[in-house]
Amino acid sequence: MRLSKLKLGLLVALVSASSLTSAARDFLNVSYDPTRELYTEVNKEFGAYWKSRTGQDINFRQSHGGSGKQARAVIDGLNADVVTLALAADIDAIAEKTNLLPKNWQKKFPHNATPYTSTIVFLVRKDNPKKIKDWGDLIKPGVEIITPNPKTSGGARWNYLAAWAWAKHQPGGNDAKAQEFVRKIYKQTKVLDSGARGSTTTFAERGIGDVLLAWENEAYLALREQPGKFEIVTPSLSILAEPPVAIVEKNAEKSGNKQLAQGYLNFLYSAKGQNIAAKNFYRPRDANVLKKYSSTFKPLKLITIDREFGGWTKAQKQHFENNGIFDQITKANSAK
């Protein structure tokens, strides 16, 4: 499917007003923590578009939380029409443990079903009192870190892997040195919230910690909401974070929302959807839209999950499943 063909006029292909009931439809998007503002705006714009084409109102419902926790909720029966989660491994888990969507779900939309991207940056307090410039500064004595728990948060897993990759790319770096570096980061982590938004609240609202490891979009949102209180530090190397989307096909078919779900996720790739993503500090896939926001989205040196870690299936098993490396790190820190 080519992005250029996803015109707004095709979003409701094969759907006519006469084929839809006049009653408003309930529609549930199960998403991860920092997307509340993004999908509030998407729902407003797409809802108006859908009504103009079909005459039908949509009762949008949003569910937010740590990405891993959200995936488990869908597995356990939360009737999502679509999922818009933080990483592919969480949607893979739904596909593997249920028959709600096919295992090749990433082939259903462009860019492996990731309509926008993000990365990991540092949010520090005004004037950067601990002089944090790069990953290595995080483990200086006295630096208190805020990051979510990788067992429940997708953003936390991106944070963890970005730190690992930086350490491994240092002169003489290897997996053993990367593991020790990441262990030290979690040794100096003050609070492990269950999701990225919870960590932002801990840092920005409760005033705990010297540095927040954050989604780029979440960091910019904090600057917008509390101007003059924080600064963003962009590390020398970070990770290309690709939050994917998927139709939970069995649920959407059961609710009668399959075509609505298709149009909803297609909308994210449209020019209007891409502009909404950029306004909410997600990096749009559309090169023309990205160019409009070039003053916000600076070029970065980014590693990828596939090239650096062999993809999410391998990384999830090695690092985050029970008795994986993160659990080993946690046990080591408890023993010291």
Side-chain angles (χ1 to χ4, degrees):
M1 187 184 302
R2 294 183 179 178
L3 186 61
S4 61
K5 292 184 178 180
L6 290 170
K7 304 294 186 181
L8 280 179
L10 297 180
L11 293 180
V12 290
L14 306 180
V15 182
S16 65
S18 61
S19 69
L20 299 168
T21 63
S22 59
R25 309 227 29 112
D26 291 327
F27 184 83
L28 175 59
N29 176 6
V30 173
S31 196
Y32 65 106
D33 254 343
T35 60
R36 290 170 174 83
E37 295 78 12
L38 169 65
Y39 282 107
T40 295
E41 190 168 352
V42 166
N43 293 347
K44 179 181 177 181
E45 293 295 332
F46 176 74
Y49 171 75
W50 186 266
K51 184 174 176 62
S52 74
R53 296 300 298 266
T54 69
Q56 185 178 55
D57 290 309
I58 308 169
N59 292 327
F60 290 104
R61 293 184 294 137
Q62 296 176 220
S63 175
H64 297 274
S67 186
K69 186 177 179 181
Q70 292 292 82
R72 284 191 291 274
V74 175
I75 292 167
D76 291 340
L78 182 60
N79 290 318
D81 291 296
V82 298
V83 286
T84 55
L85 297 179
L87 45 87
D90 289 332
I91 303 181
D92 282 339
I94 299 171
E96 290 168 5
K97 296 179 181 180
T98 73
N99 66 345
L100 296 176
L101 71 164
K103 292 184 178 180
N104 69 341
W105 59 270
Q106 283 190 293
K107 303 300 182 184
K108 304 291 185 176
F109 292 94
H111 303 296
N112 284 327
T114 56
Y116 43 78
T117 70
S118 190
T119 190
I120 303 305
V121 298
F122 309 152
L123 190 68
V124 299
R125 304 200 183 278
K126 182 176 173 57
D127 298 324
N128 194 5
K130 293 298 178 77
K131 307 304 178 188
I132 295 166
K133 299 296 184 183
D134 208 348
W135 290 99
D137 297 323
L138 298 179
I139 60 172
K140 292 190 300 188
V143 173
E144 293 185 346
I145 301 165
I146 303 297
T147 182
N149 189 335
K151 303 293 277 191
T152 55
S153 167
R157 278 170 272 175
W158 289 115
N159 294 349
Y160 170 110
L161 294 177
W164 185 288
W166 178 86
K168 192 172 178 179
H169 279 257
Q170 298 312 294
N174 55 38
D175 283 328
K177 291 180 179 179
Q179 181 168 336
E180 177 61 13
F181 175 71
V182 174
R183 184 195 67 76
K184 290 178 180 178
I185 282 182
Y186 285 97
K187 186 69 174 178
Q188 292 184 210
T189 295
K190 187 73 172 176
V191 179
L192 273 180
D193 289 291
S194 63
R197 181 55 58 88
S199 287
T200 302
T201 299
T202 294
F203 182 79
E205 302 292 340
R206 297 172 61 197
I208 298 173
D210 301 303
V211 55
L212 172 69
L213 308 189
W215 291 96
E216 181 180 49
N217 55 284
E218 190 79 343
Y220 273 112
L221 186 63
L223 293 189
R224 186 174 72 186
E225 293 189 346
Q226 299 187 54
K229 293 187 65 174
F230 309 111
E231 298 176 11
I232 293 175
V233 174
T234 301
S236 62
L237 179 146
S238 195
I239 194 166
L240 177 65
E242 298 178 294
V245 302
I247 300 171
V248 187
E249 295 187 6
K250 296 293 185 181
N251 287 348
E253 288 168 1
K254 185 177 179 180
S255 65
N257 287 339
K258 183 71 177 293
Q259 291 168 323
L260 172 58
Q262 183 75 40
Y264 184 78
L265 296 187
N266 280 351
F267 180 80
L268 300 176
Y269 290 90
S270 70
K272 183 170 283 189
Q274 292 283 285
N275 272 281
I276 292 171
K279 284 165 53 182
N280 284 276
F281 307 113
Y282 292 86
R283 294 182 177 230
R285 290 289 196 178
D286 187 299
N288 291 328
V289 178
L290 181 61
K291 186 176 180 180
K292 287 173 53 180
Y293 293 86
S294 59
S295 61
T296 299
F297 300 119
K298 305 297 185 183
L300 292 171
K301 183 179 180 181
L302 300 174
I303 60 95
T304 67
I305 184 73
D306 290 341
R307 181 172 296 180
E308 196 74 22
F309 296 97
W312 266 114
T313 299
K314 182 178 179 180
Q316 178 70 24
K317 182 176 182 180
Q318 181 178 5
H319 290 273
F320 306 117
E321 288 189 358
N322 291 339
N323 300 315
I325 294 175
F326 176 73
D327 283 352
Q328 296 168 28
I329 285 169
T330 300
K331 290 176 183 177
N333 282 337
S334 297
K336 294 185 178 183

